[in-house]
Amino acid sequence: MRAQKLTIAALALAAGLALTACQNDDAAMGQDTSANGSSSSSSSSSTGGSGSGGKAAQGSAKESGGTKADGQGGSEGTGSDTNNGTEKCRTDNLDITAQDTTITGEDPRTVAVTFMNAGGHDCVLSGFAGVDLKTNAGTISAQREGNPADATVLKNGKSVSFYVSYPVNDTGGSGVRITGLVVTPPNETKSVTLTWPGAGSLPASDDAAPVKVGPIGSAGQGG
């Protein structure tokens, strides 16, 4: 899922214009329900620790309950299956969850996203997941941060996590309201939409730090 990349300030301006144009619309469009629910293995779906210490890549075979694969998968949906025919991890076979892992006083804040293999067989996972924040004014695509870990065989029933970092809204204003988290596993095109577990808004400023995503294994210890 490829989302249009917009600056937070541009989103805030768009939100203000949209609000003025739609004051008397009686909420005809209804409430966005795409972010409802907190856990899914195929269409909507959180665990894993992060915080400041969770950002060091920890995507080892041990942490994801498996062994290193023969090659390193990509993250644009073009990677091939590796490790003696072990298939890549498919969206439909992953239980995808997210939780707030911010340490008090930390800036940027963090959310950990976890992939648990619920497919009944081992699969290969590597690189970066696609991460987009849905907001009241548009979609923000997270920027990749760090180097991807080696491809890893994720054992059935085991999990691995990565972090999403985002700036604190300490401007005193409402900022840009976050309405959902869209996650696309590496080498996949099918996404899931999760309830956003972090702070409710981003600062509406060009000076604000961007939203970033770490590589697979960059948060928590897996399980």
Side-chain angles (χ1 to χ4, degrees):
M1 179 176 178
R2 182 66 57 185
Q4 181 179 5
K5 296 183 178 179
L6 302 173
T7 64
I8 295 174
L11 289 173
L13 176 59
L17 294 175
L19 179 61
T20 301
C22 302
Q23 287 176 349
N24 299 317
D25 193 31
D26 291 331
M29 294 305 293
Q31 182 178 357
D32 181 5
T33 60
S34 65
N36 287 341
S38 60
S39 176
S40 171
S41 60
S42 62
S43 62
S44 67
S45 91
S46 198
T47 68
S50 178
S52 298
K55 296 182 182 180
Q58 301 177 35
S60 68
K62 179 178 180 182
E63 290 161 346
S64 58
T67 57
K68 286 187 177 180
D70 292 338
Q72 180 172 328
S75 53
E76 295 292 344
T78 58
S80 60
D81 297 342
T82 59
N83 203 48
N84 298 325
T86 302
E87 295 184 354
K88 68 183 180 182
C89 296
R90 303 282 183 176
T91 304
D92 288 340
N93 293 331
L94 294 171
D95 182 16
I96 305 176
T97 55
Q99 73 174 34
D100 183 12
T101 52
T102 301
I103 297 174
T104 302
E106 184 182 48
D107 187 2
R109 296 183 176 183
T110 54
V111 163
V113 177
T114 297
F115 292 146
M116 188 188 79
N117 183 1
H121 53 78
D122 300 348
C123 63
V124 174
L125 195 63
S126 65
F128 291 83
V131 171
D132 301 301
L133 295 189
K134 297 175 68 175
T135 78
N136 60 326
T139 300
I140 298 175
S141 294
Q143 300 179 10
R144 296 176 185 174
E145 181 175 58
N147 297 317
D150 291 337
T152 299
V153 175
L154 186 62
K155 296 291 186 180
N156 182 48
K158 299 297 182 178
S159 62
V160 66
S161 304
F162 63 91
Y163 71 84
V164 178
S165 66
Y166 62 101
V168 174
N169 180 17
D170 56 3
T171 62
S174 59
V176 176
R177 182 168 57 86
I178 304 172
T179 60
L181 171 64
V182 182
V183 178
T184 309
N187 302 315
E188 274 283 75
T189 57
K190 185 174 183 178
S191 303
V192 297
T193 300
L194 312 178
T195 299
W196 173 247
S201 65
L202 300 169
S205 170
D206 282 329
D207 297 329
V211 177
K212 295 182 178 181
V213 55
I216 298 299
S218 60
Q221 300 293 327

